[in-house]
Each structure stands twice: as C-alpha cells, then as structure tokens.
Amino acid sequence: MSCFSLTSACSSLGVKSTSLTVQLGFRCNETNNFPRAFVSYRKRSKIQKFSVACSSSATDPLLVKAARGDPVSRPPAWMMRQAGRYMAIYRKLAEKHPSFRERSETTDLIVEISLQPWEAFCPDGVIIFSDILTPLPAFGVQFDIEEVRGPVIQSPIRSEDCLKALHPIDLEKVHFVGESLKILRQEVGDHAAVLGFVGAPWTIATYIVEGGTTRTYTNIKSMCHTAPNLLRALLSHLTKAIAEYVIYQVESGAHCIQIFDSWGGQLPPDMWEKWSKPYIKEIVSIVRNKCPKTPLVLYINGNGGLLERMKGTGVDVIGLDWTVDMADGRKRLGSDISVQGNVDPAYLFAPLSAVTEEIQRVVKCAGPRGHILNLGHGVLVGTPEEAVAHFFDVTKSLKRNPDFFFLG
C-alpha cells in the first residue's frame, strides 16, 4: 500500500496523524488493515500526459520546502541507494531479471523498483531507480555492466579522434526515464518528492576516459596536464548533455535533482575548482534559466575539503558525507543554504537505540531549517530492513522547537 492510499484511508476513518507509523504502529506495506480498494499503485497501459511547472507552490512536498530553506514541521528524509539489494523484494525481482541494464532501462521495472521502498517505508523522497551512466549511449558512448568488473566502456575517449563519436544528447534514447518519472509523479503525487539525478561532468568523464571504474584515476588526472584542451572539450560536451538531461527529468515530473560528483573528492581542492566546479556551475545556470524553482542538490563522496567550494556552484543543497561533522559542516556553509545528510550508513547495523541517538544528534546539529535527513552515503548491502524502517519512523516522530527538532 502506498503512503498516499494509506493517508486517504486514515482520513476516511477519521484518523488524524502526521506520523502514521509512530501513532498507529504499522507501515505502508501492511495492507491487512484496509480494503484493497485503497491500494493506489497499479500498472497503467496508458501514461497520462504530465505537465510540470518549474515553480514553487503551497502544495510542494516537505522535501522540496526543506531544500529551499522554508519552515517545515520536521526534517524530511530519504536515503541514497534507497531501492536496491538490501531489500528482499528487490533481490527476488533481480533473480527474475538478472541484467542491471534491463532493470534500469525498462519502464515497468524502474517504476516497480522505485516504489518498493516507498510502499515499505514511506520516505519523503522517491528517487528513480537508474544509474549515472544511463544517458551515455544517448550522446554516443556505449557501455556494458559486467558482473565482476562493473561498468565497462570498450572505447575510452583519450584522443581528439575519439571525440568525434560524441553527438548532442538524443533524449528519445532515454525515453524510459521520462516515462518512469511521469508514472512516479502520478503515483506519489505531492505526498513525497520525486527525485531525479545525474552524474557531474568530471565524474562521468572519469568513466569515459578510464574505460570503467578505477582506483587511481591516472589516465584522466594525467590528461589534465598532457591534454587539457581535449579534456575541456569532453567536459564541455558532457555539461551540455547533462544539463539537457536534467531539464528533461524535471519536465517529466522530478520535483528535485541530485547531482552526484562521486569522484570529485578524488581531486585536490584546487584541481576540483578548475576541472569540476565550473562545469557543475554551468549546469546549474542552464537549469536555473529553464526551471528556476527546481531545487538542485550536490553530493560529493569525500567532500570535507570542498564544502565552501561546493557552495559556490549555486546549488540549493549540499550533501555531506558521513566523514564531515554536521555541526562543523553547518558552521562552514552557513545558514543561507540547505544541507543533506549525514548519518553513517554503518549505523544501520547498530542497535536501534543507537540509530535513534545518531538521528537526533545529526538533526540537532543541522538546525531547524534547511535540512534533509539522509545517510552520508548509499545504503549498504546487507543493511537490515528493520533498521531502515526505524530510521524513517524516528524521523516522522520528530517535533520542532525554535532551535532544533526533538523526539515527540
């Protein structure tokens, strides 16, 4: 049962609750309490045309309001890698559909997987099940995902001639992303934020230059010195393609977009300032021109040395990884920008009481405005589903006072 249908059911029974899990003692997937008529999710043979205005409104989801720094009744919460292998229902589906690309490039499967954590835990954000490499074939870069090696690009771009394979992004080749976002927006409505995401140009370039994943980044880092014009041309092409892809996701229904510069933290701060920041800043500028009210989040793994520089990109929200103390991060960034994070994912393997205490600490350090609760990285494989449920239960029970949120 979805959060929307459960809320409607409670309303029809005269129950008033802003925290269904805490006050009623059940989660969204416990359907025995209500007739099946309340279940909102169903596969549709025809997708309704969805028109999205890139502007704010009074009905914006809690997460969108927090991203903009508006007053909220409690901090919204979602998790990176929210849908995935820690969920038994996902593992069962993956057995039937073993190809990751099939799961992430088939509309019905994308929607089903994206909604699995929504129906189980009622997070405040529903992120589309996809990958930062998904749009690569749409602008001329083919890739495979191998079981052991992970992403593999057979023709890395390391010369001027290789650049000729690139072309403007063909959004029809990622139609499944747009279709999925439209359905997710219809299913979730404004009861949670639908989240899209992209990789930052530097991070996407690392895969394209290295030919896949790497631990050393030697090819692309050396290119900064041996072929800077080539690297700039590649990053510029990626910037335009990614900006168009962001706008496409927003126009398809995404309330909010997260930019993952996953490997930006592998650069020294001065190198990140030169080789990553300008291109993220350009994406923000292009998107702002088209969708000025759509919140943009920037996350970098290992970003402790980059926080102030990240703020200079113009995004609305800075995601902190778990190695940054939230109080220190808030002090360094100031109160004029929102923050996201940053519970250590490993806490979800600890006793539930420790999870509660850590959530309270992080939320208090972040302050009463402009905070989206999240992990400091993605959900780890093997994470107990009970701990994920507890994470969201605790969040929904938080109350606000003038200075911070506390457990009610």
Side-chain angles (χ1 to χ4, degrees), residues 78-191:
W78 70 284
M79 292 182 178
M80 290 180 281
R81 292 184 188 161
Q82 189 165 264
R85 287 177 288 172
Y86 75 97
M87 294 189 73
I89 191 173
Y90 174 86
R91 295 194 299 273
K92 185 176 180 180
L93 183 147
E95 289 177 1
K96 186 177 179 182
H97 303 278
S99 166
F100 177 82
R101 289 197 63 180
E102 179 192 4
R103 296 194 298 274
S104 61
E105 297 180 15
T106 305
T107 301
D108 286 348
L109 295 178
I110 295 170
V111 172
E112 182 176 354
I113 295 168
S114 301
L115 288 175
Q116 286 174 348
W118 160 252
E119 294 173 345
F121 312 120
C122 295
D124 296 298
V126 176
I127 188 165
I128 185 172
F129 182 77
S130 187
D131 192 88
I132 60 172
L133 300 185
T134 294
L136 265 61
F139 52 79
V141 179
Q142 303 302 318
F143 75 97
D144 295 310
I145 296 183
E146 298 182 0
E147 189 66 28
V148 177
R149 295 176 61 191
V152 176
I153 294 171
Q154 298 293 349
S155 302
I157 293 179
R158 298 175 187 169
S159 69
E160 295 284 350
D161 285 342
C162 293
L163 278 177
K164 296 175 182 178
L166 299 180
H167 55 73
I169 189 167
D170 180 359
L171 294 172
E172 182 57 34
K173 292 185 177 179
V174 287
H175 64 91
F176 46 86
V177 171
E179 291 166 0
S180 299
L181 286 168
K182 289 173 184 176
I183 296 173
L184 290 173
R185 184 65 179 265
Q186 292 164 12
E187 293 298 333
V188 174
D190 290 322
H191 297 272

Side-chain angles (χ1 to χ4, degrees), residues 278-387:
Y279 303 98
I280 296 173
K281 192 171 182 179
E282 185 177 347
I283 290 172
V284 172
S285 176
I286 293 170
V287 175
R288 283 274 185 272
N289 185 55
K290 187 78 172 181
C291 305
K293 297 297 182 180
T294 299
L296 300 175
V297 184
L298 176 59
Y299 173 82
I300 300 176
N301 188 31
N303 60 14
L306 299 172
L307 294 185
E308 294 84 358
R309 289 175 166 87
M310 290 171 69
K311 186 177 180 180
T313 61
V315 296
D316 303 277
V317 185
I318 301 295
L320 306 182
D321 80 357
W322 79 93
T323 65
V324 178
D325 182 80
M326 178 57 78
D328 181 55
R330 174 56 90 185
K331 182 178 179 181
R332 290 168 59 187
L333 290 168
S335 59
D336 59 337
I337 190 169
S338 295
V339 293
Q340 179 175 274
N342 69 334
V343 175
D344 183 348
Y347 257 99
L348 297 179
F349 292 85
L352 298 184
S353 59
V355 177
T356 300
E357 291 173 4
E358 179 63 4
I359 289 172
Q360 289 180 286
R361 185 193 70 80
V362 168
V363 167
K364 185 174 181 179
C365 290
R369 183 177 289 198
H371 177 221
I372 300 168
L373 184 64
N374 205 316
L375 302 179
H377 198 268
V379 182
L380 299 172
V381 175
T383 296
E385 291 186 47
E386 178 189 14

